[in-house]
Amino acid sequence: MTDTYVGKADEANAMETLGVIGKGTPRIDGLDKLTGAAEYVDDMDFGPALLHAAVVESPYGYARIKGIDASKAEALPGVVKVVTGKDFPYTFGMYMKDRYVFAQDVVRFAGEQVAAVIARDARTAKKAASLVEVDYEVMEPLLDPMKALADDAVLIHPDLEDYEHVPWFFPKAGTNIAHWRKTRRGDLEAGFAEADVILEDEYTVPRYAHCAIEPHVVVARLDKAHRLTLWTASQSPYTQRDVFAQALAPLGLSHKDIRVVTPYVGGGFGGKAGVSMEIIGAALATVVPGRPVKVRWTREQEFTNTYQRQGVRARIRLGAKKDGTITALEHDLYWDAGAYVEYGANVVNAAGLSATGPYRVPAVKIDSLCVYTNLPPGGPYRGFGYSEFHFGLESHITRMAQELGMDPVEFRKKNAIVEGDTLAYGEAMNPSGLIEAIDKTAAAIDWGVEETSDDPTKAIGKGLCLFWKAPAMPPNASSASFLKFNEDGSMNITVSGMELGQGYLTVMAQVASEILAVPPEKIRVETPDTDRNPYEWQTVASHVTWSCGNAVAAAALEAREKIYKVVHDARGYEEGSLYLEDEKVKCDTDPDFELPLAEFVVGGIMMPDGTYRGGPIVASGKFMPEFTSALSDPETSQGGHPNVHYTVGAAGVVIEVDRDTGKIHVKKAALAADVGRAINPVLIEGQITGGLLQGLATVLYEDMRFDAQGRLLNPTFTDYKIPTSKDVPDQIIPIIIETPQPDGPFGARGVGEHTMIAAAPVIGDAVADALGVRLKEMPITAERVALAVAGMDD
Amino acid sequence: MKHTIEMNVNGEAWAVDVAPGETLLEVLREKVGVKSPKIGCERGDCGSCTVLYDGKSVRACLVLAVEAEGHEITTLEGISHDGLTVLQEKMVELSSFQCGFCAPGIVLSVHELLQERPDPSADEVKEAISGNLCRCTGYDPIVDAVLEAARIGPGDRG
Amino acid sequence: MTIAHDFAYLRPATVPDALAMLADHRGAMVLAGGTDVVPWLRDDAITPETVVDIKDIAGFDAIDVADGVLRIGPLVTFSDLIASPVAAEHVPALVEASHTVASVGVRNRATVVGNICSAVPSCDAGPPLLVYEAAVEVAGPGGERSIPVLEWFLGPRTQALAEGELVTGITIPLPGAHGGCYAKLSRYRGEDLAQVGVAVLALPGNDYRVAFGAVGPVPFRAPAIEERLAGGGPGDADPAALDALVDEAISPIDDVRASKEYRTHMSRVMLRRSLAAAAARLDGGGPPYGEQVI
């Protein structure tokens, strides 16, 4: 691949008339998914040689392993092998190598893998796992990040200073602080001195679970030729390959030996990013060479031993002038990051760079602390830290407006960040339609119009909050694509982004379709296999439409140039006079000329003498944001360019609350997001509807609850309630704003995660509006509302 | 303690050897090779394993395979033998799905509803699929597709 | 994960066959709908050597009325009850409760009898059967007996069935004209286990029956409340006095589903609303059955 095609997306942007871009093109994976043809990892057949593994988990949050006796398990007929931490004394991790394949001498969370049994069938594996005897010395777990910060707190990772990590992390050896992101800009003291009102308070957000309906599953096989193949339900085939290669390097495995295949995946939401339980499959395969081995998480394990969204305690101090100008913000975020932070520390980092929210704040001090606790590992979850800090920040913004006697929407508009404003880390804000988003959302919920319920026991309230989010990526996170034409003029495109449900394959087909004038239904975009498909960092950060879209656009433009060159070579037309339309090459200067792609894109064009010109049209494209840098001053975060751009927007709700029961009914929810360019508006509306509901659930009823040992009390859908079809708002109004992103494909930027970010504060505001009760801890359950109204809360 | 059970799966007669502890879901997936019923929670909470059992939706994870002796099981594969149902067509057309994992169960729950109530209200649709958890779509696009399919009617395709 | 426990599966065709199998295999687990039994097996919460599937027993799936008594067979599912015109006519509050049980795919399988045999404190069939003064018909080694539902529930997951006994049905004396209501507190509109269940029957002459679920070790009737209400309209009782009686009647716990405080608060609220709905329904008004009052 050369650099020739970088930036060619700009050329695509300039195309004036668009065919499929901006249309609600039906998804290209529709038939697969509605007929049962779509194959997920657990649906794949591996034949009678397939082995099954069951994992022995720690029942304690913090304990020393004194001994493991696997003899009874090993004696059970059908058991092939039992492995423990002794067999795999390796650490792994994405941004920091602090996680163990199996616990070594210490377990750091309840649910951590201590041993595994490989057996010929799942039944035997389960039985045998229950026969493995582990002798623990139970220790007092640290479950609260504030306690873990105490001077005399036990060190959960005494070896912290030895862990390898990315250069933008700043662990504090001798403490439980795995990373501390400090952002400083402007004169904070002067900012607060200038303020007429200073408001300070604390907000609490608990942990949450992703709850993709497909549990994590991995099948791994090390064949006798030393080739390790993994079939994983994952968002991150290439990142997984990289992490596996690093972790298993002591066994002599390198990148070329490892192949990760990821067919359709049944939802991710961040939970299937990076590597969590898949490392177990990779490791187990190495002890049973030649045999595939499957590890499939139960729903309970899905809750307790993948990633969880981290809890956070926020302290906010905000200053503003009487005229409504924000003068200063101090925002401390104490993250309950869990036992291992190899991925979660980057959530902390992202929040620490952006915890001003989408506001112009002249003086900023943000401290975002990643604190080890004896709870399951925190990690990426749709919203990546932003959902968490927006709850406190947006609640606080509304309260400040009320303190100032201003309308909260007016206050927000006055301080809303616009293109060119300086971000907390010193760079300039990208183009943004935030004001338009606010106005349209306010109009959609009749902001300012008071409504009363017909039912005297109920009150109606409204809320409107803003959101923003940038992809959190390493500065060199990149995407690539391969494109090839088939004999009939159809195309196969290979990429390594994941179709998580968002419609990525369809969007990639639309991008290629637009440039090459081939309809999307004649394009297949294939799911990843790291042997065949080109590189993609991961499908996270809502970045693939933008990043991989650019890579596909680059490949399509390269293919187009090749097509023009063949026609030029064979027919003599100037390349500049050619264009593509309706699957044909046409010419500006010769209206009579047209050549269907199907006639030459593989076989070439025949010359008068019977010889041919051309040959199979194949192309590649790549994209990397070459302007980003994670290098900055650790004390201030000034000097780098960590984020590519922010997607902004607003959300509003109208709710009806029952004063007696506390039950909240969402009558209307509107959400406006500036997507740059809506490549497929139906898919964006799908993101808004689904994301909003996921966000509303985090504030209305979802909540992970732990006992004193750090054991999850509600590891099932029986008691971790995710929304059903009966729990949707009466009306959802999706609003698409299009302020083009100059470096995005056709001007597009990402929107997947953003749709859930503002849901929590907007409910908090609406409850306060309806009942005059301000709840500062999530979730805002019916129970909390009712007890607060009745004066029975503590 | 194996039992040989005879059951009808999607119109085909099957005789399968099962142990009493094997669930219908496991047997369908592993011994009959029907993969559209998915394993999501294995305790009846999520509805991913929904199949029609003598025409009624049940959770295949809550049925022991031995119980299915003499019964008729229909999965997603079985309702579209003769091409897509109108419901499936509408769900494709309106992009009423995302990751697709819950789709087989939802289609079957709605199929049962439409057999009993060809012209359901939105609330009846929501009731019918309330046991099928979907984490992606927010459900509205599914309800829209069902109402649209009901409006058109099944024609001769059931 | 899969069921690891090994057991034998038996499928009797008659009640005597079933009783013989239960006698031969002590500790055998009876299987009807399986919606509780199968997950319990998977969790190793029960480890029976034998499972006795009663689904082949003729007549067990019937709902019928004879001699002033409504009889619900042990294989009658919640869906059957919802679809039954007889049930809708005579025991509308039990049908209302049936609608709140899980969701269609579970209700198509889960039986009313199984619900009270599992006897979890939150069982939705418990409070309505208590106010309808149902009895559980049992056959066993010592012959047949009829256990009033009032004496059925003994503790969490414990009921009055003795070793070797089999439930052959639930009988309910036809209550005549009445208004009923089952209110269920759940964390959202979707399926959930009750955090509080309240069943109320309003009978002509300002006679009331009240039962609670999920706020004590077993579902129970509340006679002190019934006495206080007797003779007056549903809104006549002093609210504070009624609240105090509720507080005395219930013994809620704190758990992951709800706090003791909220259960207490909601027991009061739900009693008030259920009373009003039941009384209004007796008079031919009120919200239609199935429409939750909270």
Coordinates of all heavy atoms in Angstrom, one line a residue, chain A residues 53-54 122-123 126-127 296 298 300 457 658 660-663 665 701 705 713-714 718-719 721-724 726-727 782-783 786-787 790 792, chain C residues 1-6 41-44 99 184-193 255-259 261-262 265-266 268-269 272-273 294:
Chain A
A53 N -14.3 -26.6 27.5 CA -13.6 -26.2 28.7 C -14.6 -25.6 29.7 O -15.5 -24.9 29.3 CB -12.4 -25.2 28.4
A54 N -14.3 -25.8 30.9 CA -15.1 -25.1 32.0 C -14.1 -24.5 32.9 O -13.0 -25.1 33.2 CB -16.0 -26.1 32.8
A122 N -19.2 -30.9 27.4 CA -19.4 -29.8 28.3 C -19.9 -30.3 29.6 O -19.5 -29.7 30.7 CB -20.4 -28.8 27.6
R123 N -20.6 -31.3 29.6 CA -21.2 -31.9 30.9 C -20.0 -32.3 31.8 O -20.0 -32.0 33.0 CB -22.1 -33.0 30.5 CG -23.2 -33.4 31.5 CD -24.3 -34.2 30.8 NE -25.4 -33.4 30.4 CZ -25.6 -33.0 29.2 NH1 -24.9 -33.5 28.2 NH2 -26.6 -32.3 28.9
K126 N -18.0 -29.4 33.1 CA -18.7 -28.7 34.2 C -18.5 -29.5 35.5 O -18.2 -28.9 36.6 CB -20.1 -28.4 33.9 CG -20.9 -27.7 35.0 CD -22.4 -27.5 34.6 CE -23.2 -27.0 35.7 NZ -24.6 -26.8 35.4
K127 N -18.8 -30.8 35.4 CA -18.7 -31.6 36.6 C -17.3 -31.6 37.2 O -17.1 -31.4 38.4 CB -19.0 -33.1 36.2 CG -20.3 -33.6 36.9 CD -20.4 -35.1 36.5 CE -21.7 -35.3 35.8 NZ -22.0 -36.7 35.4
R296 N -17.2 -21.3 26.2 CA -18.4 -20.4 26.0 C -18.9 -19.9 27.4 O -19.1 -20.7 28.3 CB -19.6 -21.2 25.3 CG -20.7 -20.2 25.0 CD -21.9 -21.0 24.4 NE -22.5 -21.8 25.3 CZ -22.9 -23.1 25.1 NH1 -22.7 -23.6 23.9 NH2 -23.4 -23.8 26.1
T298 N -21.2 -18.6 30.3 CA -22.6 -18.6 30.7 C -23.0 -17.2 30.8 O -22.1 -16.3 30.9 CB -22.8 -19.3 32.0 OG1 -22.0 -18.6 33.0 CG2 -22.3 -20.8 32.0
E300 N -24.0 -15.8 33.5 CA -23.4 -15.4 34.8 C -22.0 -15.0 34.6 O -21.6 -13.9 35.1 CB -23.5 -16.5 35.8 CG -25.0 -16.8 36.3 CD -25.8 -17.7 35.4 OE1 -25.3 -18.0 34.2 OE2 -26.8 -18.2 35.8
T457 N -52.1 12.1 40.7 CA -51.0 11.6 41.4 C -49.7 11.7 40.6 O -48.6 11.3 41.1 CB -51.2 10.1 41.7 OG1 -51.3 9.3 40.5 CG2 -52.4 9.9 42.6
D658 N -45.1 9.1 38.7 CA -46.1 8.9 39.8 C -45.5 9.2 41.1 O -44.5 8.6 41.5 CB -46.5 7.4 39.7 CG -47.7 7.1 40.6 OD1 -47.7 7.5 41.8 OD2 -48.6 6.3 40.2
D660 N -46.5 8.6 44.1 CA -46.6 7.6 45.1 C -45.6 6.4 44.8 O -45.0 5.9 45.7 CB -48.0 7.0 45.1 CG -49.0 8.0 45.7 OD1 -48.6 9.0 46.4 OD2 -50.2 7.9 45.5
T661 N -45.6 6.0 43.6 CA -44.8 4.8 43.3 C -43.4 5.1 42.8 O -42.6 4.3 42.8 CB -45.5 4.0 42.1 OG1 -45.5 4.8 40.9 CG2 -47.0 3.6 42.5
G662 N -43.2 6.4 42.4 CA -41.9 6.8 41.9 C -41.7 6.3 40.5 O -40.6 6.6 39.9
K663 N -42.7 5.6 39.9 CA -42.5 5.1 38.5 C -42.4 6.2 37.5 O -43.2 7.1 37.5 CB -43.6 4.1 38.2 CG -43.4 2.8 38.9 CD -44.5 1.8 38.5 CE -44.4 0.5 39.3 NZ -43.8 -0.6 38.5
H665 N -42.4 7.3 33.6 CA -42.8 6.9 32.2 C -42.3 7.9 31.2 O -42.6 9.1 31.4 CB -44.3 6.7 32.2 CG -44.8 6.4 30.8 ND1 -44.5 5.2 30.2 CD2 -45.6 7.0 29.9 CE1 -45.0 5.1 29.0 NE2 -45.7 6.2 28.8
Y701 N -33.2 1.7 35.7 CA -33.3 0.4 36.5 C -32.0 -0.4 36.6 O -31.8 -1.2 37.5 CB -34.5 -0.4 36.1 CG -34.9 -0.4 34.7 CD1 -34.1 -1.1 33.7 CD2 -35.9 0.4 34.2 CE1 -34.5 -1.0 32.4 CE2 -36.2 0.5 32.9 CZ -35.5 -0.2 32.0 OH -35.9 -0.1 30.6
R705 N -24.9 -4.9 41.5 CA -24.9 -4.8 43.0 C -24.0 -5.9 43.5 O -24.1 -7.0 43.1 CB -26.3 -4.9 43.5 CG -27.3 -4.0 42.9 CD -27.4 -2.7 43.7 NE -28.1 -3.0 44.9 CZ -29.5 -2.9 45.0 NH1 -30.2 -2.7 43.9 NH2 -30.1 -3.2 46.1
L713 N -24.4 -9.7 42.9 CA -25.6 -10.2 43.5 C -26.7 -10.4 42.4 O -27.6 -11.1 42.6 CB -26.2 -9.2 44.5 CG -25.4 -9.1 45.8 CD1 -25.8 -7.9 46.6 CD2 -25.5 -10.4 46.6
N714 N -26.5 -9.8 41.2 CA -27.5 -9.9 40.2 C -26.9 -10.3 38.8 O -27.0 -9.5 37.9 CB -28.4 -8.7 40.1 CG -27.5 -7.4 40.0 OD1 -26.4 -7.3 40.3 ND2 -28.2 -6.3 39.4
T718 N -32.7 -12.1 35.3 CA -33.8 -12.1 36.3 C -33.7 -10.9 37.2 O -34.7 -10.3 37.6 CB -33.7 -13.4 37.1 OG1 -33.6 -14.5 36.3 CG2 -34.9 -13.5 38.0
D719 N -32.5 -10.5 37.5 CA -32.3 -9.4 38.4 C -31.4 -8.3 37.9 O -31.2 -7.3 38.6 CB -31.7 -10.0 39.7 CG -32.8 -10.6 40.6 OD1 -33.9 -10.0 40.7 OD2 -32.7 -11.7 41.1
K721 N -32.0 -6.0 35.1 CA -33.1 -5.8 34.2 C -32.7 -5.0 33.0 O -32.3 -3.8 33.2 CB -34.3 -5.1 34.9 CG -34.8 -5.8 36.1 CD -35.1 -7.3 36.0 CE -36.3 -7.6 35.1 NZ -36.5 -9.1 35.0
I722 N -32.7 -5.5 31.8 CA -32.5 -4.7 30.6 C -33.9 -4.6 29.9 O -34.8 -5.4 30.1 CB -31.4 -5.3 29.6 CG1 -31.9 -6.6 29.0 CG2 -30.1 -5.6 30.4 CD1 -31.0 -7.0 27.8
P723 N -34.0 -3.5 29.2 CA -35.4 -3.1 28.7 C -36.0 -4.2 27.8 O -35.3 -4.8 27.0 CB -35.2 -1.8 27.9 CG -33.7 -1.5 27.9 CD -33.0 -2.5 28.8
T724 N -37.3 -4.3 28.0 CA -38.1 -5.2 27.1 C -38.9 -4.3 26.1 O -38.8 -3.1 26.3 CB -39.1 -6.1 27.8 OG1 -40.2 -5.3 28.3 CG2 -38.4 -6.7 29.0
K726 N -41.8 -3.6 26.3 CA -42.8 -2.9 27.0 C -42.2 -1.7 27.7 O -42.9 -0.9 28.3 CB -43.5 -3.8 28.0 CG -44.4 -4.8 27.4 CD -44.6 -6.0 28.2 CE -45.8 -5.9 29.1 NZ -46.1 -7.2 29.8
D727 N -40.9 -1.5 27.6 CA -40.2 -0.4 28.3 C -39.7 0.7 27.4 O -38.8 1.4 27.8 CB -39.1 -1.0 29.2 CG -39.6 -2.1 30.1 OD1 -40.4 -1.7 31.0 OD2 -39.4 -3.3 29.8
A782 N -37.5 3.9 40.4 CA -38.8 4.2 41.0 C -38.6 4.3 42.5 O -39.2 5.1 43.2 CB -39.8 3.2 40.6
E783 N -37.9 3.3 43.0 CA -37.7 3.2 44.5 C -37.1 4.5 45.1 O -37.5 5.1 46.0 CB -36.8 2.0 44.8 CG -36.4 2.0 46.3 CD -35.7 0.7 46.7 OE1 -36.0 -0.4 46.1 OE2 -35.0 0.7 47.7
A786 N -39.5 7.4 44.8 CA -40.7 7.4 45.7 C -40.2 7.7 47.1 O -40.8 8.4 47.9 CB -41.3 6.0 45.6
L787 N -39.1 7.1 47.5 CA -38.6 7.3 48.9 C -38.2 8.7 49.1 O -38.3 9.3 50.2 CB -37.5 6.3 49.2 CG -37.9 4.8 49.2 CD1 -36.7 3.9 49.7 CD2 -39.1 4.6 50.1
A790 N -41.3 10.7 49.5 CA -41.9 10.4 50.8 C -41.1 10.9 51.9 O -41.4 10.7 53.1 CB -42.3 9.0 50.9
M792 N -38.4 9.4 52.8 CA -37.9 8.2 53.5 C -36.5 7.8 53.0 O -36.0 6.8 53.5 CB -38.8 7.0 53.1 CG -40.2 7.1 53.8 SD -41.4 6.0 53.0 CE -40.9 4.4 53.7
Chain C
M1 N -24.7 -22.9 31.3 CA -24.0 -24.1 31.0 C -25.0 -25.3 31.2 O -25.9 -25.2 31.9 CB -22.8 -24.3 31.9 CG -21.9 -25.4 31.5 SD -20.2 -25.3 32.2 CE -19.3 -25.1 30.7
T2 N -24.6 -26.3 30.6 CA -25.4 -27.5 30.5 C -25.7 -28.1 31.9 O -25.1 -27.8 32.9 CB -24.6 -28.5 29.6 OG1 -25.4 -29.5 29.2 CG2 -23.4 -29.0 30.3
I3 N -26.8 -29.0 31.9 CA -27.1 -29.7 33.2 C -26.1 -30.8 33.4 O -26.0 -31.7 32.5 CB -28.5 -30.3 33.1 CG1 -29.5 -29.1 33.0 CG2 -28.8 -31.2 34.4 CD1 -31.0 -29.6 32.7
A4 N -25.3 -30.8 34.5 CA -24.3 -31.8 34.7 C -24.8 -33.0 35.5 O -24.3 -34.1 35.4 CB -23.1 -31.2 35.4
H5 N -25.9 -32.7 36.3 CA -26.4 -33.7 37.2 C -27.1 -34.9 36.4 O -27.8 -34.6 35.5 CB -27.4 -33.1 38.1 CG -28.1 -34.0 39.0 ND1 -27.5 -34.7 40.0 CD2 -29.4 -34.3 39.0 CE1 -28.4 -35.5 40.6 NE2 -29.6 -35.3 40.0
D6 N -26.8 -36.1 36.8 CA -27.5 -37.2 36.1 C -28.8 -37.6 36.8 O -28.8 -37.7 38.1 CB -26.6 -38.5 36.1 CG -25.4 -38.2 35.2 OD1 -25.6 -37.7 34.1 OD2 -24.2 -38.5 35.6
L41 N -32.2 -27.5 38.0 CA -31.3 -28.6 37.7 C -30.0 -28.1 37.2 O -28.9 -28.6 37.5 CB -31.9 -29.6 36.6 CG -33.1 -30.5 37.1 CD1 -33.8 -31.1 35.9 CD2 -32.5 -31.6 38.0
R42 N -30.1 -27.1 36.3 CA -28.8 -26.5 35.7 C -27.9 -25.9 36.8 O -26.7 -26.0 36.8 CB -29.2 -25.5 34.7 CG -28.0 -24.9 34.0 CD -28.4 -24.0 32.9 NE -28.9 -24.7 31.7 CZ -30.2 -24.7 31.3 NH1 -31.0 -23.9 31.9 NH2 -30.6 -25.4 30.2
D43 N -28.6 -25.3 37.8 CA -27.8 -24.6 38.9 C -27.4 -25.6 39.9 O -26.8 -25.2 40.9 CB -28.7 -23.5 39.5 CG -28.9 -22.3 38.6 OD1 -28.3 -22.3 37.5 OD2 -29.8 -21.5 38.9
D44 N -27.8 -26.9 39.8 CA -27.6 -27.9 40.9 C -28.3 -27.4 42.2 O -27.9 -27.8 43.3 CB -26.1 -28.1 41.1 CG -25.4 -28.9 40.0 OD1 -26.1 -29.8 39.5 OD2 -24.3 -28.6 39.7
H99 N -51.5 -12.7 33.8 CA -50.9 -11.9 32.8 C -49.5 -11.3 33.2 O -48.8 -10.9 32.3 CB -51.9 -10.7 32.5 CG -52.9 -11.0 31.5 ND1 -52.7 -11.1 30.1 CD2 -54.3 -11.3 31.7 CE1 -53.9 -11.4 29.5 NE2 -54.8 -11.5 30.5
K184 N -49.1 -5.8 41.1 CA -47.7 -6.4 41.2 C -46.7 -5.2 41.1 O -46.7 -4.5 40.1 CB -47.5 -7.4 40.1 CG -46.1 -7.9 40.0 CD -46.1 -9.1 39.0 CE -44.7 -9.6 38.7 NZ -44.8 -10.9 38.0
L185 N -45.8 -5.2 42.1 CA -44.7 -4.2 41.9 C -43.5 -4.9 41.2 O -43.1 -6.0 41.7 CB -44.2 -3.8 43.3 CG -43.0 -2.8 43.3 CD1 -43.4 -1.5 42.6 CD2 -42.5 -2.5 44.7
S186 N -43.1 -4.3 40.1 CA -42.0 -4.8 39.4 C -41.1 -3.6 39.1 O -41.5 -2.5 39.2 CB -42.4 -5.6 38.2 OG -43.3 -4.8 37.4
R187 N -39.9 -3.9 38.7 CA -38.9 -2.9 38.5 C -39.1 -2.1 37.2 O -38.6 -1.0 37.0 CB -37.5 -3.4 38.5 CG -37.1 -3.7 40.0 CD -35.9 -4.6 40.1 NE -36.2 -6.0 39.7 CZ -35.4 -7.0 39.9 NH1 -34.2 -6.8 40.4 NH2 -35.7 -8.2 39.5
Y188 N -39.9 -2.7 36.3 CA -40.2 -2.0 35.0 C -41.4 -2.8 34.5 O -42.0 -3.6 35.1 CB -39.1 -1.9 34.1 CG -38.4 -3.1 33.5 CD1 -38.8 -4.4 33.8 CD2 -37.3 -3.0 32.7 CE1 -38.2 -5.5 33.3 CE2 -36.7 -4.1 32.1 CZ -37.1 -5.3 32.4 OH -36.5 -6.4 31.9
R189 N -41.9 -2.3 33.3 CA -43.1 -2.9 32.7 C -42.8 -4.4 32.2 O -43.8 -5.1 32.1 CB -43.6 -2.1 31.6 CG -44.1 -0.7 32.0 CD -44.7 0.0 30.8 NE -45.3 1.3 31.3 CZ -46.1 2.0 30.5 NH1 -46.3 1.7 29.2 NH2 -46.6 3.1 30.9
G190 N -41.6 -4.6 31.8 CA -41.3 -6.0 31.3 C -41.4 -7.0 32.4 O -41.6 -6.7 33.6
E191 N -41.1 -8.3 32.1 CA -41.3 -9.3 33.0 C -40.4 -9.2 34.2 O -39.2 -8.8 34.1 CB -41.1 -10.7 32.4 CG -39.7 -11.1 32.0 CD -39.6 -12.5 31.5 OE1 -39.9 -12.6 30.3 OE2 -39.3 -13.4 32.3
D192 N -40.9 -9.5 35.4 CA -40.1 -9.4 36.6 C -40.8 -10.2 37.7 O -42.0 -10.6 37.5 CB -40.0 -7.9 37.1 CG -38.9 -7.7 38.1 OD1 -38.1 -8.6 38.4 OD2 -38.8 -6.5 38.6
L193 N -40.0 -10.6 38.7 CA -40.6 -11.2 39.8 C -41.2 -10.2 40.7 O -40.6 -9.1 40.9 CB -39.5 -12.1 40.6 CG -38.9 -13.1 39.7 CD1 -37.7 -13.8 40.4 CD2 -39.9 -14.2 39.3
D255 N -33.5 -6.8 49.6 CA -32.7 -7.6 48.7 C -32.4 -6.9 47.4 O -32.6 -5.7 47.4 CB -33.3 -9.0 48.4 CG -34.6 -8.9 47.6 OD1 -34.9 -7.8 47.1 OD2 -35.3 -9.9 47.5
V256 N -31.8 -7.6 46.5 CA -31.3 -6.9 45.3 C -32.5 -6.3 44.5 O -32.3 -5.4 43.7 CB -30.4 -7.8 44.5 CG1 -31.3 -8.9 43.8 CG2 -29.6 -7.1 43.5
R257 N -33.7 -6.8 44.7 CA -34.9 -6.3 44.0 C -35.5 -5.1 44.6 O -36.0 -4.3 43.8 CB -35.9 -7.5 43.9 CG -35.5 -8.6 43.0 CD -36.3 -9.8 43.0 NE -35.6 -10.9 42.4 CZ -35.7 -12.1 42.8 NH1 -36.5 -12.5 43.7 NH2 -34.9 -13.1 42.2
A258 N -35.5 -5.0 45.9 CA -36.1 -3.8 46.5 C -35.7 -3.7 47.9 O -35.4 -4.7 48.5 CB -37.7 -3.9 46.4
S259 N -35.8 -2.5 48.5 CA -35.5 -2.4 49.9 C -36.7 -2.6 50.7 O -37.8 -2.6 50.2 CB -35.0 -0.9 50.2 OG -36.0 0.0 50.0
E261 N -37.8 -0.6 52.9 CA -38.6 0.6 53.0 C -39.5 0.8 51.8 O -40.7 1.2 52.0 CB -37.6 1.8 53.0 CG -36.8 2.0 54.3 CD -35.7 1.0 54.5 OE1 -35.2 0.4 53.5 OE2 -35.4 0.7 55.6
Y262 N -39.0 0.5 50.6 CA -39.8 0.7 49.4 C -40.9 -0.4 49.4 O -42.1 -0.1 49.0 CB -39.0 0.6 48.2 CG -39.7 0.9 46.9 CD1 -40.4 2.1 46.8 CD2 -39.7 0.1 45.8 CE1 -41.0 2.5 45.6 CE2 -40.3 0.4 44.6 CZ -41.0 1.6 44.5 OH -41.6 2.0 43.4
H265 N -43.5 0.9 51.8 CA -44.2 2.1 51.2 C -45.2 1.6 50.1 O -46.4 2.0 50.1 CB -43.2 3.0 50.6 CG -43.7 4.1 49.8 ND1 -44.4 5.2 50.4 CD2 -43.8 4.3 48.5 CE1 -44.7 6.1 49.4 NE2 -44.4 5.5 48.2
M266 N -44.7 0.7 49.3 CA -45.5 0.3 48.1 C -46.7 -0.7 48.6 O -47.7 -0.7 48.0 CB -44.7 -0.4 47.1 CG -43.8 0.6 46.3 SD -44.8 1.9 45.5 CE -45.8 1.0 44.4
R268 N -48.4 -0.3 51.1 CA -49.5 0.7 51.5 C -50.2 1.2 50.3 O -51.4 1.2 50.2 CB -48.9 1.8 52.3 CG -48.3 1.4 53.6 CD -47.5 2.6 54.1 NE -46.8 2.4 55.4 CZ -46.0 3.3 56.0 NH1 -45.8 4.5 55.4 NH2 -45.4 3.0 57.1
V269 N -49.4 1.7 49.4 CA -49.9 2.4 48.1 C -50.7 1.4 47.3 O -51.9 1.6 46.9 CB -48.8 2.9 47.3 CG1 -49.3 3.4 45.9 CG2 -48.1 4.1 48.0
R272 N -54.2 0.5 48.9 CA -55.2 1.5 48.6 C -55.7 1.4 47.2 O -56.9 1.5 46.9 CB -54.5 2.9 48.8 CG -54.4 3.3 50.3 CD -54.2 4.8 50.4 NE -52.9 5.3 49.8 CZ -51.8 5.4 50.5 NH1 -51.7 5.0 51.7 NH2 -50.7 5.9 49.9
R273 N -54.8 1.3 46.2 CA -55.2 1.4 44.8 C -55.9 0.1 44.5 O -56.9 0.1 43.7 CB -54.0 1.6 43.9 CG -53.4 3.0 44.1 CD -52.5 3.3 43.0 NE -51.8 4.6 43.2 CZ -50.9 5.1 42.4 NH1 -50.6 4.5 41.3 NH2 -50.3 6.3 42.7
I294 N -50.7 0.3 39.3 CA -49.5 1.1 39.7 C -48.6 1.1 38.4 O -48.7 0.3 37.5 CB -48.7 0.5 40.8 CG1 -48.3 -1.0 40.6 CG2 -49.5 0.7 42.1 CD1 -47.2 -1.4 41.5

